Amino acid sequence: MSTVTPPSRLQQLIYAKDGSLTRDLLLYPGEYGLGKVPAGAKPNGTTTSVCGFCSTGCGLELHMKDGQAVNLSPAVDWPVNLGMACPKGWESITVLKAHDRATQPLLKGADGKLAPVSWDEAMKTFCARFKDIQAKHGNDSVAFLSTGQIATEEMFFLGSLAKFGMGMLHGDGNTRQCMATAVVSYKESFGFDAPPFTYADFEESDVLVFVGSNLCIAHPIMWERVLRNPHDPKIIVIDPRRTETAVAATHHLPLRPKTDMALLYTIANELIQRGWIDESYIASHTNGFDQFKQHVAPYQLEDSLANCGLEPSAVMEVIQAIHDGQRVSFWWTMGVNQSHQGVRTAQAIINLALMTGNIGRPGTGANSITGQCNAMGSRLFSNTTNLVGGHDFTKEEDRQKIADILDIPVVNIPTENSWSYDGIMEGIRRGDIRGLWVIATNPAHSWIHQQEAKETLEKLDFLVVQDMYHSTETAVLADLMLPAAGWGEKEGTFINSERRHGLHKKVVPAPGEALADFQIFRLVSHYWGCDSMFSDWKTPEDVFQVMKKCSAGQPCDITGIRDYRMLDDARGIQWPTKEAESSGDDWMPQPQRRLFEDGQYFHPDGKARFIFEQPEAPGEVPNDAFPLHLLTGRGTAAQWHTQTKTSKSAVLRTLYSTTLLVDINPQDADALMIEPHDWVQVQSARGEIRARANVTSSVQPGHVFLPMHNEVTNQLTYPQFDAYSRQPSYKNAAVRIVKSV
Ligand code: SF4
């Protein structure tokens, strides 16, 4: 007696009306996922997954009941978090259950309103509109903006589909907003985008220098690792604000905003003048030191007050601490990356590590801390700024290598680089780009100079937004909204700040008709007519195996990672892990691996480079009309970016003020006759917002601070970009404060 398999829920939802799709395409949505959680999960047991919020990459244990996760706890045996999690991680499941989850495709009708349509109609409309735009205006007239929030395999699929299948040239990601500066600085200095550290370094250092990093709040589990440090370390914080991290530090240098390059050059010069450098390391492993030495010679310690607003004695204490340290580590995040000279500032940090020989040893390094859970995946495998696997679109041998691995014609691979995010926005304003596909990011909230960003998106002929939530500031502008599954509702891998690939799994069903981004890309490839190019990519793990091949021979080589099960069993594996290292089926790499232990960098001569430049004032500084310097940044450990997820948790909402607060120094508040909690208007040349005054000495006189999470903050920010990384400078705008009546 033959048995007829009933169509799965998704088969019924997506394909019943059309019926034209192949069995092969149906396999992934129908057969994989809930109930077949990979790597050892049991319907009523516990399985592990890497967290989907920030780049720390904590391991979580998901507790399953009847095949679904009902609760979670931090994984004790995960080499990242060692049994700890921050509030966001604890609430990872809660935020999936929000009322504004996108559950059906939505298409804008003639009345200008979004209305539900079938996936079949959504896909036909998507392809027809984009192909029509390409036919009229050229292939490059459609573009995509991706994210650091989806799985590496999904990024790989999207980038391959868009560029090799759909003929797009331009695609970038929201990682431009957080990590582009670190990418460019590492590439130029080390020869590859290679953060050298491992989290054990937080515990190994005897001196930790944080530049523009409020680790306590932005990366609380990394801060916990600092607190475990048994060496009674000196902790130096370089930040205009007296942040939570600065309060806990042994030394705080509250410099004037955007004078960090001058300060770092001053420190370098003083170290050189005193002979407190590692001449042997410099000679053996670097290039350009003599020119650097000349460049920093004018940066005298006694000028610190004039140049940076810092007492020379305070700067000297830090220089002495760096000299006295045996294992000095330098860390930076958005205070450096989001700067008009971010790349050269990051390289000023790298230069300090190189000249003092503080790299490649435990507890050392010039270490960029990433933002999003998969920013590193985006940097290496999204096919945006690099050809996948850290390759170069402009190099013929790289294009041929990838074409051979993917078995596609090499002519399908663009020979030039994409425009960066700001270039894509500029292209829309000029009318060169008319169709845009936005995946898991929210530029109408997060892009700098928000009003201009919204007006830019409204110029598009066709805007497709693919997201978990239909309510984001960008989704409501969409012509077509595609409902996506989120973390926990699909599987794939992320790469964290210390280069660790970690597996996340499907442990709950996606709501309604929402699909994994991976499935959506499969659907698009089918309706576009290029699915034969990706016919072997049926599951994320299939794509992971392709990623491995693309990484072969690169600094980010992961050919030694056998499969998802190995990743799961190891609790994540750092790159590089080469096939040649492995020794048998049960081989596991060391859980903590740092780069440059042999002093060999990725430039052809094996040496790192000293790179430097003259500091310049930012494009906008406080003036008579707008006398205050606006700083923006992370609000609390319970908030994440544009709050599309974290605002959905009642627990998290109790951990931050839902009223927008602007931090203002007591001196400025007195001068403006502002009392704590008064309503005020914060005004810049670009906009005006309302907030309550938080009178606090955590900001200096003349400075104010706003959390980036509120939807109005970027109405004020000033659109300036680093010349090399094109990363927006979110932390310098001139504003004034007026008491509300
Ligand atoms: Fe998740 Fe980051 Fe919190 Fe860890 S620190 S639990 S990775 S959000």
Side-chain angles (χ1 to χ4, degrees):
M1 189 173 73
S2 66
T3 321
V4 178
T5 306
S8 72
R9 181 181 68 99
L10 286 172
Q11 287 169 340
Q12 292 171 39
L13 287 170
I14 302 168
Y15 308 110
K17 287 182 198 157
D18 183 287
S20 63
L21 297 181
T22 65
R23 167 75 189 159
D24 190 44
L25 188 65
L26 295 176
L27 262 177
Y28 177 69
E31 306 296 331
Y32 206 68
L34 186 67
K36 195 182 172 190
V37 179
K42 295 182 184 136
N44 292 303
T46 292
T47 191
T48 51
S49 192
V50 68
C51 178
F53 278 105
C54 90
S55 69
T56 307
C58 295
L60 303 174
E61 293 197 335
L62 283 306
H63 308 298
M64 312 286 288
K65 185 161 186 273
D66 300 330
Q68 292 193 32
V70 291
N71 209 335
L72 65 80
S73 52
V76 174
D77 60 352
W78 208 274
V80 168
N81 52 315
L82 311 173
M84 301 175 279
C86 84
K88 298 185 292 295
W90 279 104
E91 285 295 282
S92 292
I93 298 174
T94 310
V95 299
L96 301 174
K97 298 171 190 153
H99 66 87
D100 57 348
R101 284 298 303 271
T103 57
Q104 291 173 284
L106 303 171
L107 182 63
K108 191 176 276 181
D111 61 357
K113 293 185 178 155
L114 288 167
V117 293
S118 68
W119 270 105
D120 180 56
E121 186 176 349
M123 287 294 100
K124 284 177 174 161
T125 306
F126 177 104
C127 295
R129 292 300 304 269
F130 268 25
K131 284 189 174 187
D132 183 52
I133 292 170
Q134 285 186 322
K136 287 181 182 149
H137 304 287
N139 279 359
D140 303 348
S141 60
V142 295
F144 67 95
L145 288 176
S146 180
T147 178
Q149 293 290 142
I150 61 175
T152 320
E153 295 79 356
E154 293 175 330
M155 294 173 180
F156 191 102
F157 202 150
L158 169 63
S160 302
L161 167 63
K163 294 204 169 180
F164 309 151
M166 299 168 75
M168 294 186 206
L169 171 61
H170 302 303
D172 201 3
N174 61 12
T175 39
R176 180 73 60 181
Q177 294 162 276
C178 61
M179 297 317 303
T181 286
V183 172
V184 176
S185 60
Y186 279 140
K187 273 188 184 173
E188 292 182 349
S189 293
F190 295 161
F192 196 79
D193 176 17
F197 63 100
T198 187
Y199 291 158
D201 291 323
F202 285 122
E203 301 178 24
E204 299 276 358
S205 297
D206 56 5
V207 178
L208 299 103
V209 183
F210 293 100
V211 188
S213 161
N214 187 8
L215 204 71
C216 278
I217 294 300
H219 299 91
I221 300 306
M222 294 192 203
W223 179 246
E224 293 290 338
R225 297 293 300 264
V226 174
L227 297 181
R228 287 166 51 96
N229 187 310
H231 306 294
D232 190 21
K234 290 201 166 68
I235 299 174
I236 296 160
V237 170
I238 298 173
D239 197 310
R241 286 196 303 142
R242 194 162 174 266
T243 62
E244 293 81 350
T245 314
V247 168
T250 54
H251 299 70
H252 175 209
L253 295 181
L255 75 178
R256 268 206 313 276
K258 303 302 152 203
T259 62
D260 34 13
M261 249 168 97
L263 172 63
L264 294 161
Y265 289 162
T266 302
I267 294 172
N269 184 41
E270 195 64 23
L271 287 166
I272 293 168
Q273 297 307 318
R274 290 172 180 267
W276 291 352
I277 57 176
D278 188 335
E279 291 184 1
S280 163
Y281 193 89
I282 292 168
S284 302
H285 302 297
T286 71
N287 276 322
F289 178 72
D290 289 342
Q291 296 89 328
F292 176 66
K293 182 177 167 182
Q294 284 177 17
H295 176 81
V296 298
Y299 294 86
Q300 298 292 321
L301 182 63
E302 55 268 28
D303 297 331
S304 301
L305 196 57
N307 290 342
C308 311
L310 295 169
E311 290 295 340
S313 58
V315 179
M316 189 59 223
E317 280 184 34
V318 166
I319 293 166
Q320 185 75 50
I322 292 171
H323 172 60
D324 291 344
Q326 301 300 305
R327 298 173 307 282
V328 184
S329 56
F330 299 86
W331 309 83
W332 81 87
T333 54
M334 297 312 146
V336 171
N337 285 349
Q338 294 176 338
S339 301
H340 69 293
Q341 288 185 294
V343 169
R344 293 294 179 255
T345 307
Q347 288 166 334
I349 298 170
I350 291 170
N351 295 344
L352 286 178
L354 292 173
M355 64 192 275
T356 56
N358 276 300
I359 195 157
R361 293 183 289 113
T364 66
N367 304 328
S368 150
I369 301 170
T370 310
Q372 300 180 78
C373 57
N374 204 16
M376 176 57 79
S378 173
R379 288 153 73 164
L380 294 178
F381 290 106
S382 67
N383 224 20
T384 53
T385 52
N386 308 298
L387 180 57
V388 286
H391 292 91
D392 189 337
F393 281 108
T394 66
K395 288 189 177 159
E396 188 178 353
E397 66 270 25
D398 284 7
R399 294 195 301 274
Q400 191 62 56
K401 173 183 168 183
I402 299 301
D404 291 345
I405 292 168
L406 269 53
D407 194 20
I408 60 172
V410 71
V411 293
N412 283 34
I413 300 181
T415 57
E416 56 186 295
N417 291 314
S418 161
W419 288 338
S420 52
Y421 200 137
D422 65 306
I424 290 172
M425 297 295 270
E426 188 60 42
I428 297 169
R429 284 195 283 280
R430 284 196 309 268
D432 292 340
I433 290 179
R434 290 161 178 265
L436 186 68
W437 185 8
V438 175
I439 300 100
T441 189
N442 190 9
H445 176 141
S446 64
W447 193 244
I448 202 159
H449 190 356
Q450 188 184 92
Q451 187 57 33
E452 184 181 68
K454 283 185 176 171
E455 288 167 9
T456 301
L457 294 173
E458 283 166 355
K459 280 180 185 287
L460 287 160
D461 293 348
F462 200 64
L463 172 62
V464 181
V465 176
Q466 182 170 319
D467 203 287
M468 293 170 64
Y469 302 95
H470 60 67
S471 58
T472 73
E473 290 82 358
T474 309
V476 298
L477 301 176
D479 296 294
L480 176 65
M481 207 269 145
L482 302 176
W487 173 94
E489 298 165 344
K490 57 180 185 174
E491 65 179 356
T493 59
F494 298 145
I495 312 175
N496 77 354
S497 269
E498 52 163 2
R499 313 179 318 282
R500 187 180 303 275
H501 292 252
L503 181 64
H504 65 93
K505 300 173 190 167
K506 180 169 183 171
V507 291
V508 290
E513 299 178 25
L515 294 176
D517 296 281
F518 190 90
Q519 293 168 316
I520 297 173
F521 301 142
R522 273 173 66 80
L523 277 179
V524 172
S525 72
H526 176 80
Y527 279 82
W528 193 271
C530 60
D531 46 352
S532 61
M533 203 177 276
F534 311 108
S535 57
D536 293 335
W537 299 9
K538 295 187 176 64
T539 69
E541 192 164 7
D542 293 337
V543 174
F544 182 78
Q545 295 299 337
V546 180
M547 281 166 42
K548 283 171 54 180
K549 292 181 189 164
C550 294
S551 77
Q554 291 288 94
C556 58
D557 193 323
I558 50 168
T559 50
I561 304 176
R562 285 187 297 276
D563 52 20
Y564 275 5
R565 180 168 292 277
M566 182 181 181
L567 272 181
D568 203 37
D569 290 347
R571 279 35 184 148
I573 298 173
Q574 289 169 287
W575 66 257
T577 297
K578 300 175 188 172
E579 191 170 21
E581 293 177 56
S582 78
S583 51
D585 290 347
D586 297 331
W587 175 81
M588 283 286 179
Q590 288 296 315
Q592 303 286 348
R593 300 149 65 91
R594 65 184 59 78
L595 301 178
F596 311 131
E597 287 175 322
D598 57 0
Q600 288 298 300
Y601 293 87
F602 298 118
H603 284 301
D605 63 1
K607 293 188 174 184
R609 294 177 184 167
F610 283 90
I611 302 174
F612 45 86
E613 200 169 78
Q614 290 298 343
E616 291 171 6
E620 183 172 86
V621 292
N623 51 60
D624 289 346
F626 300 101
L628 299 168
H629 188 119
L630 172 65
L631 302 162
T632 66
R634 179 91 52 184
T636 68
Q639 291 169 287
W640 182 248
H641 288 189
T642 66
Q643 295 239 92
T644 51
K645 287 168 84 173
T646 45
S647 68
K648 308 299 157 43
S649 157
V651 170
L652 296 181
R653 285 197 302 274
T654 64
L655 298 175
Y656 59 88
S657 169
T658 50
T659 302
L660 179 60
L661 300 177
V662 56
D663 292 354
I664 180 170
N665 184 272
Q667 281 184 34
D668 292 325
D670 275 355
L672 295 164
M673 291 188 290
I674 291 168
E675 297 290 329
H677 229 234
D678 275 352
W679 282 108
V680 298
Q681 302 295 123
V682 189
Q683 302 168 337
S684 78
R686 293 156 294 285
E688 174 180 29
I689 67 174
R690 196 158 184 260
R692 281 194 186 273
N694 183 38
V695 180
T696 169
S697 56
S698 66
V699 290
Q700 299 181 43
H703 304 168
V704 294
F705 173 82
L706 283 168
M708 65 179 179
H709 315 289
N710 194 282
E711 69 272 17
V712 298
T713 297
N714 278 314
Q715 290 183 20
L716 306 177
T717 47
Y718 174 70
Q720 188 175 10
F721 304 86
D722 179 275
Y724 306 100
S725 70
R726 305 307 300 167
Q727 181 157 347
S729 176
Y730 282 100
K731 299 179 191 302
N732 63 277
V735 298
R736 65 181 166 229
I737 287 194
V738 179
K739 189 171 174 177
S740 292
V741 287

